[in-house]
Amino acid sequence: MTTVPFAPLAASFVPSLDSPVDVGRDQAADEAARELSRAAYQHESLFDRLQREIFQFIGDLMSGDGTGTGGVLSLVLIVVVLVVLALLLLWALRRFSGSGRAEPGAVFGRRERTAAEHRSEAERLAAEEDWAGAIRERLRAVARDLEERAVVAPLPGRTAMELAEAAGQALPSHAADLRAAARLFDDVTYGEAGGTREEYLTLAALDERLRSARTGVTA
């Protein structure tokens, strides 16, 4: 009986251990991307991630040759992205710059001060002969004092005339003087009137009278 040589046939099915493993470029890139996403970017903040993706998106658009329909579309998309970013920046700057401004027509600004602090500031401005500023601060002292004594209820955004009407109901004998003070405040604040020393002294005298006044009705 003839012996069949099995060894060479079996050896032909065993791969050589020395032969290199052929890994494609796309597969290597995918492996590297997955590794980076697991390690370097897993603790990345939302802002950094958004910034990275935006710049990556713009870089991908600009990586083309800039010709043909694809190139024109890429340029349009880049312009749109830049315009949106500029509008967002402008909105943030305007909101920040306007955070300390008072509402139009309001007596108070956004900074909270006591009546005593407003009076002190009014006296300082009067000493510098800044009559418009002194009148504004003195009326704010009047308004804050009335709120502190519960003559009128605090109301954010209240105008000078609304203050005069509310205080005039609680202090009827001073209603006419309060309305005159409110008109003076509006004139120097929104009407570009300069104000005078006599007008400031009149308002200061009203402030002193109101400090000792008692309400005629329950506030």
Side-chain angles (χ1 to χ4, degrees):
M1 182 172 56
T2 304
T3 303
V4 179
F6 290 102
L9 181 62
S12 64
F13 291 95
V14 178
S16 176
L17 297 178
D18 296 331
S19 61
V21 178
D22 186 12
V23 178
R25 180 178 300 176
D26 294 339
Q27 182 180 356
D30 292 340
E31 291 294 335
R34 283 195 294 269
E35 184 64 26
L36 287 174
S37 64
R38 287 195 299 268
Y41 296 148
Q42 61 182 353
H43 299 297
E44 187 178 30
S45 66
L46 179 61
F47 177 79
D48 292 337
R49 180 179 178 183
L50 180 61
Q51 184 181 31
R52 176 175 56 82
E53 291 182 353
I54 290 175
F55 283 113
Q56 182 178 352
F57 174 70
I58 296 177
D60 293 340
L61 293 178
M62 297 181 66
S63 62
D65 57 4
T67 61
T69 305
V72 173
L73 180 60
S74 299
L75 292 176
V76 171
L77 290 177
I78 292 174
V79 171
V80 170
V81 170
L82 293 177
V83 169
V84 171
L85 292 177
L87 290 176
L88 289 175
L89 179 61
L90 180 62
W91 173 80
L93 291 175
R94 291 184 62 181
R95 184 175 182 180
F96 176 78
S97 63
S99 60
R101 297 178 183 175
E103 295 295 329
V107 174
F108 297 111
R110 294 185 181 273
R111 179 183 176 184
E112 292 288 338
R113 287 182 175 180
T114 64
E117 289 174 334
H118 282 297
R119 288 191 187 96
S120 177
E121 180 66 11
E123 291 296 329
R124 184 187 69 80
L125 294 171
E128 297 176 358
E129 297 187 353
D130 181 359
W131 303 118
I135 288 170
R136 282 192 294 267
E137 286 301 314
R138 197 70 186 212
L139 184 73
R140 288 166 180 160
V142 169
R144 186 66 76 199
D145 183 78
L146 293 174
E147 291 180 353
E148 290 173 353
R149 293 193 293 126
V151 175
V152 297
L155 180 63
R158 172 186 277 142
T159 66
M161 195 56 67
E162 289 172 345
L163 170 71
E165 294 298 329
Q169 293 179 7
L171 303 168
S173 61
H174 299 282
D177 292 335
L178 285 164
R179 286 193 295 269
R183 286 192 295 269
L184 176 60
F185 177 87
D186 289 341
D187 288 342
V188 300
T189 305
Y190 310 109
E192 299 182 357
T196 64
R197 179 176 180 274
E198 290 73 20
E199 289 172 332
Y200 172 73
L201 293 177
T202 300
L203 182 55
L206 174 62
D207 182 23
E208 294 300 324
R209 293 196 303 272
L210 292 174
R211 293 176 67 180
S212 58
R214 295 293 181 264
T215 59
V217 294
T218 302

